[in-house]
Amino acid sequence: MARLVGTTSRGIRTPIIRQGDNLQEIVVESVIAAAESEGFELHDSDVVGVTEAVLGRSQGNYASVDNIAKDVHEKFGDETVGVIFPILSRNRFSVCLKGIAKGLKKMVLMLSYPSDEVGNHLVSLDQLDEAGINPWSDVLTEKEYREKFGENLHPFTGVDYVKYYRDLITSFGCEVEIIFGNDPKVILDYTKDVLHCDIHTRERTKRILKKAGAQKIYGLTDILTKSVDGSGCNPKYGLLGSNKATEESVKLFPVNCEEFVTNVHNMFKERTGKNIEVMVYGDGAFKDPVGKIWELADPVVSPGYTAGLEGTPNEVKLKYLADNDFADLSGDELKNAIANYIKNKDSDLKGKNVSLGTTPRRLTDLIGSLCDLTSGSGDKGTPVILVQGYFDNFTK
């Protein structure tokens, strides 16, 4: 009988991961135990995803407010610093902001509006229209913002982030002025020293600031690239990708991810005889159509993966074939014709009509998003995901 199930995604339960745990062994043992318990088999080209959170935790890759403050102060000294384009997040940015505030005497905080980079809104587009505000050209002071828009609570968290960030900054004895704008050059009217906190637009922001005459330019990727007083660090991403661990510390994005996935792949090969692909995944690359929030607050979906996950899908659209090339066929004749077409498809379908409507995204972004949605961000207890059948097609 033909197999009637295509891709499956399973959340794999593991013990609670602590600093110093042998995560490689835990991942392999947990997946094999789940297969034995649930009665399924492992296959070549299965994908095991491990969330970056447990990898960073097992590595002990943590940093404190004081570590952040010391690094920031060493880079900027006692100058007034423009801190621009942070996202609005208690989990992703509040502890980082504590460290930044503790390391500075005065900052000019420039918030992008109507939303931050990942879609957390301060105001709605309708509110801007009603107030006659053009967010691409108009710069607002905090007083003007309050006069025009009053108090705006985040729809999911109920937090007024303007007040929350102001109170947090001043609690560390740092003087702050808050403005609202979307052109990074605006900050140079206030100070020539800038810490830009954007994620996916960071290289463009740095280029614009440098060309416009900024003096000291650092991004979150430049903070904690080296250990400070024994702290964790991330040489590539710095503070980007960090999460709140405690009120006074963050867990940084994991390091040595390529080594980790290679070791886990080799352990699966030794234990099962199967070539299983392995990836570390963080935020998925998808957007909430209601809240308008783009999930990807990490610098990348996957900071490490095995070679078989490189590239993009090369797929044909079944409905295109059924409606066009084989519109006069039906039943087994149609099924066989499509199966034969897939078996003999070109190795590169880019730009061809038969691939219209397929998803031209990187495999790691697609599978990482599937992993993130499967594991969730709460109490499911499944930081490891097993994806099977992803590389199968209609002919398998």
Side-chain angles (χ1 to χ4, degrees), residues 48-239:
V48 169
V50 181
T51 179
E52 59 83 20
V54 294
L55 179 54
R57 191 183 306 146
S58 71
Q59 294 172 340
N61 203 16
Y62 293 88
S64 70
V65 166
D66 287 342
N67 299 143
I68 298 170
K70 185 173 181 178
D71 200 4
V72 168
H73 187 75
E74 286 180 352
K75 287 179 166 61
F76 290 105
D78 292 331
E79 301 298 326
T80 297
V81 175
V83 178
I84 70 173
F85 302 156
I87 64 172
L88 307 174
S89 172
R90 292 172 298 172
N91 176 42
R92 288 291 190 168
F93 193 68
S94 66
V95 179
C96 295
L97 185 57
K98 287 180 180 181
I100 295 167
K102 190 169 184 178
L104 301 177
K105 285 191 172 182
K106 180 179 179 179
M107 77 167 71
V108 180
L109 179 67
M110 186 165 84
L111 301 175
S112 54
Y113 77 102
S115 70
D116 68 11
E117 181 182 1
V118 296
N120 293 296
H121 276 73
L122 288 170
V123 295
S124 69
L125 288 173
D126 289 338
Q127 286 175 293
L128 292 183
D129 292 342
E130 291 171 6
I133 299 296
N134 181 348
W136 301 111
S137 60
D138 295 341
V139 178
L140 304 178
T141 65
E142 185 177 3
K143 181 180 179 182
E144 290 170 333
Y145 168 82
R146 290 300 188 191
E147 287 174 347
K148 294 179 182 298
F149 306 114
E151 180 186 63
N152 286 281
L153 304 181
H154 190 285
F156 292 164
T157 65
V159 174
D160 180 336
Y161 276 97
V162 178
K163 181 179 186 303
Y164 177 66
Y165 279 3
R166 167 174 280 284
D167 291 347
L168 188 153
I169 293 164
T170 56
S171 71
F172 284 87
C174 180
E175 184 181 348
V176 62
E177 180 178 356
I178 299 178
I179 61 174
F180 303 81
N182 293 297
D183 182 351
K185 296 190 297 294
V186 166
I187 198 65
L188 302 183
D189 294 334
Y190 298 82
T191 174
K192 302 298 183 184
D193 297 339
V194 185
L195 174 62
H196 61 93
C197 303
D198 44 346
I199 306 165
H200 308 293
T201 56
R202 61 187 183 273
E203 293 302 326
R204 177 177 182 268
T205 297
K206 184 177 291 186
R207 184 178 69 248
I208 290 172
L209 289 169
K210 185 175 181 179
K211 185 176 180 181
Q215 294 175 355
K216 293 180 181 178
I217 312 170
Y218 294 101
L220 290 184
T221 50
D222 302 310
I223 309 299
L224 287 182
T225 56
K226 296 179 181 179
S227 178
V228 174
D229 295 336
S231 73
C233 62
N234 191 302
K236 185 173 183 180
Y237 295 117
L239 278 177

Side-chain angles (χ1 to χ4, degrees), residues 23-41:
L23 185 60
Q24 296 170 179
E25 183 67 28
I26 290 173
V27 169
V28 174
E29 287 285 348
S30 297
V31 172
I32 292 175
E36 293 174 351
S37 173
E38 298 297 318
F40 61 84
E41 297 180 0

